[in-house]
Each structure stands twice: as C-alpha cells, then as structure tokens.
Amino acid sequence: MKAEIITIGDEILLGQIVDTNSAWIAQELFAQQIQIQQITSITDTEDHILAALADAGSRADIIICTGGLGPTKDDVTKFTAAKFFHTDLVFNQDVMDHVQQIFQRFNRTMPDINKGQAQVLANCEVLFNDWGTAPGMWVEHDQKVYIFLPGVPFEMKNLMTFRALPKLKDFQTEEKVVNKYILTVGIGESHLAEHIAEIENSFPDHVHLAYLPKIGLVRLRLTLTGKDIDALEVEAEEWKNKLVERIGPAVVATEDVSFEEVIVRSFSDHKLTLATAESCTGGNISRLITEIPGSSNMFQGAVVSYANEVKEGVLGVSIETLKAHGAVSEETVIQMVNGVKQLLNVDYAIATSGIAGPDGGTPEKPVGTVWVAVAGKNEVKTKLFHFHHDRLINIERTTAQAFLMLWNLYQAELQN
C-alpha cells in the first residue's frame, strides 16, 4: 500500500513556514505499514493542484492533501478538487451548525465568509473537525483514496488521529517493512561505512542500510521488506546486533532517539544531575536538553553568561583571568564550568565560550574559535575548536561537541 502527500500553500514554497505536517503524517502511516511514495509541495493554484492530484493518483493508493481549505479566496483546494473529480460542492448543514457553534463558544459573530466552509465535495465523506472550522474530506475515486485536511498542524493531527487513521486500518498491504535504528557518535560517516562494509556487503536484496549523518553523529536505519512481519523482525534484530557488535563503543542507542534523549535517560537512570554555563551557545544546549520529556529528573538549570559581568558576578570567573586570557580561553571556561557546577550543586556541568561570528574575531582568536569545558565528579576536560564563519553552524557544532565531551567523560567515570 503506497501513499503520497501533497502540501498546498505558497507559504511553504516561500520558506515562511516549515512543512512539519508531512513528517508527522509519514510516521503515523508507517506505523500502519503504509509507505510514503512521494511528498510534493505546490502553490495554491488550480493548475498545480490538478496536476499534483493526477500525478499522485497514477502512483499511489492513498493521496493525502493538506492546506487550502480555509474560507478566504486564496484557498482553492476544494473548488479544484471538485473539478478533478467532476463533481460539485454541496451545502452540509451539519458542518454549518458546527462552524456556528465554534463562533458562539467564543462569543463572536460569524463572518459571512465562513458560510463557505459548509460547502463540501458531493462525493466525499465529511471528516468533522472538532478543533477548527474547516472540515476534512474523504473521497474514494477510481479505487484510490483521497484525503483532504486543513494545513493548521494541530487541526490536521487531530483529524488524522481520530478520523482518517482509524479508517485507514481497513487498508492492508501485502508488503511489510521493518526499520531498526542505531545511533552512533564520535565517528564520521565514511569511517563508519568502512568499518561495517563487510557486513553491509553481505546483505540480501531485501535488506538495506541508510546513513543519516548529522553534526557529531550518524544514525543508521536498517530496513527489511517482505511479507512475513514476524520473520522480518527476527532477521532485523540479528542484522542490527551484528552491526552493533562491529561498531562497538560508538553506539549510544539502538532505537530512533536523539543523542540528547540518550543523555537525559542515562543521567536519570543513574540519578545524576547536569547544569550548563553557556556563552557562545546562548542556551542552545539547555534548550535541547529541556525539550526532552523527563529532563526535569536530571537537569538543574543554566546560566547564559553572555557578558563578562555575568561570568564574573554569577559564575565566579576572576577579573584577573578575563583580563589576562580573555573570555574565550581555557582558563575562563574552566572557571565557568566549576562555577556553575558549584552554584547549582550538580554532578556534571558544561561550559562554552567562543566567537560565533560573523564578527568579533581577531588574528589571535578568529571567528569560529571556541572553548568547551565539561566537569564530572572527578575531573574537568577542556577542548579548543576552530570552526568557520557561519554563526548558526558554529553554535550547532559547539553544542554537538559539548554533548560528545560530556558523554565521553560520563562513560569514563562510570567505568572507574
């Protein structure tokens, strides 16, 4: 069973918003063994919508469209869909009552323009939107299923979860897919590929390995396809275990999780605490940690010590150190990391200080110069990095290296 997603909206193509809907839909469909064949983003124009619907219908069994169902003139999806299906839009009193109730709930007068949202495809099954005014629509046409959903993420997710996905459970696919994940850190993609080449070269045709690199880490996705889901699960575990054994200590997880989640889980399991003192990363490290559910079990807090006055007054960095060595120095990050560790009474701490750019560099300390320190129960580790001139990438690289340094120190202290 193959599916395609069509996202409709000029705002996506202009880069004004990021299409998070497609990623979420793909994950939910995969859980029901429905594979995404293609994702297409198009403008709010009739010719593009007609062409996209026709193309998707030629390749996929299920076509999901998001966006363009609002009440304004630029929302043309359902009018174009009526042309595509050679049908009409009809008035639906239940939808009208629902829209009116929403406005009454908030004690607001409903504009006349919203009456148009009660117009739905004559050949559709209405998917009632309990969280907004634009209904979803389910159409079965030429042995294909077309699902039209609003583009607002929380409305789309609720309609998919409670209206569309239960109906899609009736659609069974003969070909099954099993994915397994291996998260590695501290090893580059090419070195990793060389290290496991012998195993990868022995894969049968129904086994495939994908490399998903990111700054500081490589995620491996092992994919097996076949008809017997139970047999595939067993075989996938066997291949995964062979890869994990070959890769060794660089493996930090064997599931689809982030490095930050691995750190949060492991620190929580061992009842360890963490804090950060961030200058050039501006709180990015603590942001990533606190995005993980359960981080409150191990994360105590952060000091974003951007100014020297904060480094000195809050973290206890001496004025002599700042004068002699500067804010971007090994001496300063050592005092920062020790200061925040003592201030927040934690087991581990991270400190960063650098010149993220694009300006602020000197011949001695050019843009991209970064010092990172991590403090554990018994020692402090520091490292100097020389990155490039892109500010955001420098922040991302510093963050990735800080997590890796923290993990390595933590692992070393666990073994002692």
Side-chain angles (χ1 to χ4, degrees):
M1 186 69 65
K2 301 295 183 183
E4 287 204 19
I5 301 172
I6 302 171
T7 60
I8 303 169
D10 294 340
E11 64 276 12
I12 296 173
L13 298 174
L14 291 172
Q16 294 173 324
I17 65 169
V18 176
D19 175 26
T20 58
N21 284 349
S22 294
W24 184 88
I25 292 171
Q27 292 173 347
E28 294 300 313
L29 291 181
F30 180 77
Q32 295 191 187
Q33 287 293 317
I34 298 173
Q35 304 303 307
I36 296 295
Q37 188 86 348
Q38 185 168 315
I39 299 173
T40 304
S41 294
I42 59 174
T43 61
D44 291 285
T45 57
E46 181 179 299
D47 55 341
H48 283 178
I49 296 172
L50 288 173
L53 289 172
D55 290 344
S58 69
R59 292 182 296 253
D61 308 292
I62 300 166
I63 298 92
I64 300 176
C65 301
T66 67
L69 297 181
T72 55
K73 290 183 178 180
D74 61 328
D75 292 311
V76 300
T77 297
K78 63 184 177 182
F79 301 98
T80 307
K83 288 187 177 182
F84 179 78
F85 296 124
H86 303 291
T87 190
D88 298 313
L89 293 175
V90 297
F91 178 80
N92 187 295
Q93 186 61 53
D94 291 335
V95 173
M96 187 73 265
D97 292 342
H98 172 69
V99 174
Q100 289 175 330
Q101 287 171 7
I102 289 178
F103 279 91
Q104 290 170 1
R105 190 185 312 158
F106 293 99
N107 197 26
R108 294 166 56 190
T109 301
M110 187 185 77
D112 287 341
I113 194 173
N114 284 90
K115 294 178 180 178
Q117 292 184 295
Q119 297 289 328
V120 298
L121 294 167
N123 62 337
C124 83
E125 177 183 341
V126 173
L127 303 177
F128 279 96
N129 183 355
D130 295 319
W131 304 269
T133 58
M137 293 175 287
W138 173 290
V139 177
E140 296 187 20
H141 178 78
D142 286 345
Q143 299 182 319
K144 311 282 184 178
V145 172
Y146 295 80
I147 304 171
F148 297 89
L149 302 169
V152 180
F154 79 90
E155 294 186 29
M156 179 280 298
K157 289 179 180 180
N158 280 288
L159 274 167
M160 278 292 294
T161 300
F162 297 105
R163 306 294 188 217
L165 288 174
K167 291 172 66 64
L168 288 173
K169 287 182 178 178
D170 295 332
F171 292 78
Q172 300 296 322
T173 179
E174 195 169 310
E175 184 181 76
K176 308 295 183 183
V177 178
V178 169
N179 285 334
K180 299 292 180 180
Y181 294 89
I182 301 171
L183 181 63
T184 70
V185 298
I187 182 171
E189 181 182 10
S190 57
H191 287 92
L192 179 60
E194 278 187 357
H195 196 52
I196 61 176
E198 180 185 353
I199 296 174
E200 189 174 4
N201 291 336
S202 68
F203 286 162
D205 290 341
H206 68 285
V207 180
H208 175 71
L209 188 66
Y211 294 77
L212 310 171
K214 190 180 176 182
I215 292 175
L217 60 84
V218 179
R219 190 185 312 277
L220 298 176
R221 185 185 66 235
L222 184 68
T223 301
L224 282 73
T225 57
K227 295 183 178 180
D228 187 335
I229 190 74
D230 294 328
L232 288 174
E233 284 283 355
V234 171
E235 185 183 3
E237 280 293 321
E238 292 173 350
W239 285 116
K240 184 189 75 175
N241 291 338
K242 287 181 180 180
L243 290 167
V244 169
E245 184 178 359
R246 175 65 60 87
I247 297 167
V251 175
V252 297
T254 55
E255 54 184 314
D256 190 14
V257 295
S258 67
F259 192 19
E260 304 88 76
E261 188 166 351
V262 173
I263 292 170
V264 168
R265 286 184 184 179
S266 194
F267 270 53
S268 298
D269 289 344
H270 289 88
K271 301 188 185 316
L272 298 171
T273 52
L274 173 69
T276 66
E278 303 184 54
S279 183
C280 63
T281 47
N284 191 56
I285 296 172
S286 56
R287 176 186 66 85
L288 291 172
I289 288 289
T290 55
E291 283 180 353
I292 306 301
S295 58
S296 59
N297 293 324
M298 50 76 69
F299 190 71
Q300 292 297 95
V303 176
V304 180
S305 52
Y306 219 64
N308 284 353
E309 291 80 5
V310 179
K311 293 180 178 71
E312 181 187 358
V314 178
L315 296 176
V317 179
S318 71
I319 187 65
E320 291 78 16
T321 296
L322 291 169
K323 285 181 177 179
H325 304 284
V328 182
S329 65
E330 182 177 27
E331 292 80 3
T332 294
V333 291
I334 289 174
Q335 292 186 15
M336 287 172 64
V337 80
N338 284 329
V340 78
K341 185 183 177 191
Q342 182 178 4
L343 179 68
L344 297 182
N345 190 28
V346 293
D347 301 301
Y348 286 84
I350 298 171
T352 65
S353 188
I355 305 166
D359 51 20
T362 66
E364 295 77 22
K365 297 178 182 178
V367 170
T369 302
V370 175
W371 276 99
V372 177
V374 293
K377 290 187 173 182
N378 306 313
E379 62 179 320
V380 173
K381 294 285 190 180
T382 63
K383 194 166 184 179
L384 171 64
F385 298 95
H386 294 287
F387 299 131
H388 300 293
H389 288 78
D390 188 293
R391 182 179 184 83
L392 295 181
I393 292 178
N394 288 342
I395 292 172
E396 190 174 350
R397 287 187 181 279
T398 303
T399 300
Q401 292 297 332
F403 281 138
L404 181 58
M405 288 175 62
L406 173 69
W407 182 258
N408 288 340
L409 177 59
Y410 161 64
Q411 290 296 302
E413 292 192 344
L414 276 182
Q415 295 169 11
N416 294 333

